Amino acid sequence: MPLIVGFLADTYTGRFTMVLFSSLIYLMGLSLLTMSEFISSLKPCEIVGKCIKARKIHEVVFFIALYFISIGTGGIKPCLESFGADQFDDNHPEERKQKMSYFNWWSTALCCGLLLGVTVIVSIQDNLGWGIADLVLAIFLASHL
């Protein structure tokens, strides 16, 4: 997806439009995933406990949500970092230094986000449930759009 979407962004839409569009698709996927945990007709089973086979509607909504999240991620990854780097002028010496600093801060923020994802979000999943963790991620993404 990043190769295809990166090509489409560079050729047709532009990075900003692709990041915005991909973020909306990503948010739709997170919202569907969250709804599949909270709306009773979308839950895998009617009975809480051992579930032998999930309902078809749950499977459909679950996989559509995962596809939307994958497509959204594939659209954001190739465009966001380079979109930020485009804000600096390579011909200006001071901005060239700021651009290098930007990449350092980008990598630091990415690593911090990964650390929060594997600690805080996993802790929420373990202690409060998948639905709450998905809701936290969806709210966080929506608040940054």
Side-chain angles (χ1 to χ4, degrees):
M1 284 308 299
L3 290 174
I4 295 168
V5 174
F7 170 76
L8 291 175
D10 287 343
T11 308
Y12 299 108
T13 64
R15 290 185 186 104
F16 177 77
T17 305
M18 189 58 74
V19 167
L20 184 61
F21 182 68
S22 297
S23 297
L24 291 173
I25 290 174
Y26 198 131
L27 183 60
M28 286 180 5
L30 281 175
S31 299
L32 280 173
L33 196 59
T34 303
M35 288 190 305
S36 74
E37 286 291 322
F38 288 113
I39 298 175
S40 60
S41 61
L42 297 178
K43 286 188 176 184
C45 296
E46 294 177 22
I47 302 168
V48 177
K50 195 170 192 179
C51 185
I52 308 261
K53 178 151 174 53
R55 289 190 257 182
K56 195 66 171 173
I57 186 71
H58 174 75
E59 289 179 2
V60 169
V61 170
F62 179 75
F63 282 108
I64 288 173
L66 291 182
Y67 290 136
F68 276 7
I69 291 170
S70 297
I71 292 168
T73 302
I76 291 171
K77 293 288 183 189
C79 299
L80 196 57
E81 186 175 8
S82 58
F83 177 70
D86 286 346
Q87 309 307 308
F88 301 98
D89 184 12
D90 282 333
N91 296 327
H92 192 272
E94 184 63 31
E95 287 194 21
R96 193 174 313 136
K97 288 181 194 175
Q98 290 174 345
K99 187 176 189 177
M100 291 188 330
S101 178
Y102 164 77
F103 284 115
N104 290 335
W105 281 107
W106 175 268
S107 297
T108 302
L110 188 63
C111 290
C112 289
L114 290 169
L115 180 65
L116 288 174
V118 298
T119 56
V120 174
I121 298 299
V122 171
S123 175
I124 292 171
Q125 288 173 346
D126 287 344
N127 298 316
L128 300 174
W130 285 86
I132 301 295
D134 293 339
L135 182 63
V136 167
L137 292 171
I139 290 171
F140 188 75
L141 179 61
S143 69
H144 285 83
L145 281 179

